[in-house]
């Protein structure tokens, strides 16, 4: 982590804490040109810049995969931990317990989450740890040359013609069922929707689990794949238009009563969900799960904020931690004195 805060050049656009977009950028990507993961990185940069988050307050976490390399490509000044395959949730949990004032963003893949990391994912969702958890979902193991992952649809075809004969895990259904308090699905090619979803996730306190369909142009972007750019464009069913108004901006837009649901998020920001086709309440868990089952049956992807429970207690609150970050407590406070240890030893004689 670099400790220097760049001074904005005159005339350059700055955000509310006086930083330019450059302060939110990372190293140059080494992923394939056109990979959906690169577009997600760009939206993460935009969202943190527009929300005016101090990058030095952020911790970026990941596992292993092309997707898990992405945190290197945004917010160079943030803290970071690139962990072992599928083990990001436990590292994130430790980091947030050590310093509850951090803003954590984890980037995982469909393989990293749905295969080797599924056990860790399940317990993370159940705990509602304050964390933005992004799955860059391409339905394959991109880094190891495109094998089917657990989110690959039944009947979808690999580049070599092999047909997937296993049903997929719907990570959004799983996250809603287990207790994540904000669950969304988006598409790397939908700039506007993904940006709004990410901003809402930054404002939310609790686990914000975002499954972003992110085509792998090298191994899974052909006819027969259900995670290709063309398939997703043809089968995406947006729940409606999402408008996000951060707490530091005044609401100056007129919203049509009846067709818009407004949700106040933890930090006072407002989320407006303008419905298109159906009456959808994003705070109704049963409705969210029904919608996911119904759209999947039709071979479609419902996108947008699927479920939100803004006031649910998160894991850090549930543990009733003291205000001072554990990471900064002096040794005398975290280790029993020698006399106490001697007493225990004496009692065991
Ligand atoms: C313990 C362990 N097992 C297997 C691997 C090999 N491996 C590396 S990345 C990966 C899957 C990556 O897929 P995904 O998480 O979907 O990321 P993508 O590359 O598609 O973005 C696998 C199986 C590993 N690195 N470590
Ligand atoms: S192999 Fe696929 S997932 Fe990996 S960087 Fe290339 S396009 Fe992206
Ligand atoms: Mg993948």
């Amino acid at each position: 982590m670099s400790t220097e805060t760049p001074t904005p050049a005159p005339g350059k656009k700055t955000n509310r804490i006086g930083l330019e977009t450059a302060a939110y950028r990372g190293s140059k990507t080494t992923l394939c040109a056109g990979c959906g993961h690169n577009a997600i990185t760009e939206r993460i940069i935009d969202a943190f810049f527009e929300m005016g988050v101090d990058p030095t307050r952020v911790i970026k976490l990941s596992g292993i995969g092309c997707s898990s390399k992405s945190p290197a490509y945004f917010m160079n000044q943030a803290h970071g931990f690139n962990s072992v395959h599928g083990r990001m949730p436990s590292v994130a949990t430790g980091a947030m317990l050590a310093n509850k004032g951090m803003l954590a963003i984890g980037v995982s893949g469909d393989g990293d989450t749905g295969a080797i990391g599924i056990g860790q994912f399940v317990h993370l969702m159940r705990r509602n740890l304050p964390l933005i958890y992004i799955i860059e979902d391409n339905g394959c193991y991109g880094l190891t040359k495109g094998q089917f992952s657990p989110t690959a649809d039944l009947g979808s075809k690999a580049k070599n013609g092999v047909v997937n004969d296993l049903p997929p895990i719907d990570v959004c259904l799983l996250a809603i069922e287990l207790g994540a308090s904000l669950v969304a699905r988006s598409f790397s090619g939908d700039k506007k929707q993904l940006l709004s979803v990410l901003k809402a996730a930054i404002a939310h306190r609790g686990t914000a689990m975002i499954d972003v369909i992110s085509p792998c142009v090298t191994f899974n972007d052909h006819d027969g794949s259900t995670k290709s750019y063309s398939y997703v464009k043809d089968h995406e069913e947006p729940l409606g238009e999402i408008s996000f108004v951060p707490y530091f901006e005044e609401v100056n837009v007129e919203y049509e009563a009846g067709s818009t649901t407004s949700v106040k998020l933890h930090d006072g920001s407002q989320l407006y969900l303008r419905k298109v086709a159906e009456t959808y309440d994003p705070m109704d868990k049963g409705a969210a799960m029904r919608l996911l089952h119904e759209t999947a049956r039709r071979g479609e992807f419902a996108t947008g904020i699927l479920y939100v429970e803004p006031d649910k207690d998160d894991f850090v609150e549930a543990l009733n931690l003291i205000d001072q970050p554990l990471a900064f407590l002096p040794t005398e406070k975290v280790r029993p004195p020698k006399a106490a240890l001697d007493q225990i030893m004496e009692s065991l004689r």
Side-chain angles (χ1 to χ4, degrees), residues 20 48 59 103-104 121 152 158 199 202 229 236 239 273 299 306:
E20 287 176 35
F48 278 82
I59 176 156
L103 202 163
F121 177 74
K199 286 177 168 178
I202 294 171
Y229 279 109
E236 187 191 5
L239 288 176
L273 304 165
L306 301 165

Side-chain angles (χ1 to χ4, degrees), residues 31-32 35 37 66 138 142-143 215-219:
L31 302 182
C32 307
C35 175
H37 302 352
C66 297
N138 50 20
L143 191 73
C216 166
V217 287
T218 305
F219 297 110

Side-chain angles (χ1 to χ4, degrees), residues 246-317:
Y247 71 90
F248 50 84
E249 273 175 23
E250 254 181 65
V251 181
N252 53 12
V253 195
E254 293 270 320
Y255 291 95
E256 224 181 290
S259 67
T260 303
T261 305
S262 93
V263 183
K264 194 167 189 177
L265 295 178
H266 175 82
D267 68 351
S269 301
Q270 290 278 358
L271 190 57
Y272 294 92
L273 304 165
R274 246 168 299 195
K275 293 163 200 162
V276 170
E278 47 196 307
T279 314
Y280 185 70
D281 176 3
M283 288 189 276
D284 180 340
K285 200 169 191 169
M289 298 182 77
R290 267 194 309 282
L291 175 96
L292 284 167
H293 281 295
E294 281 160 16
T295 44
R297 213 173 295 133
R298 296 198 295 266
E300 283 163 2
F301 303 96
T303 62
I305 305 266
L306 301 165
Y307 180 65
V308 59
E309 192 179 343
D311 301 321
K312 183 174 180 173
D313 267 2
D314 64 61
F315 189 53
V316 172
E317 278 162 27

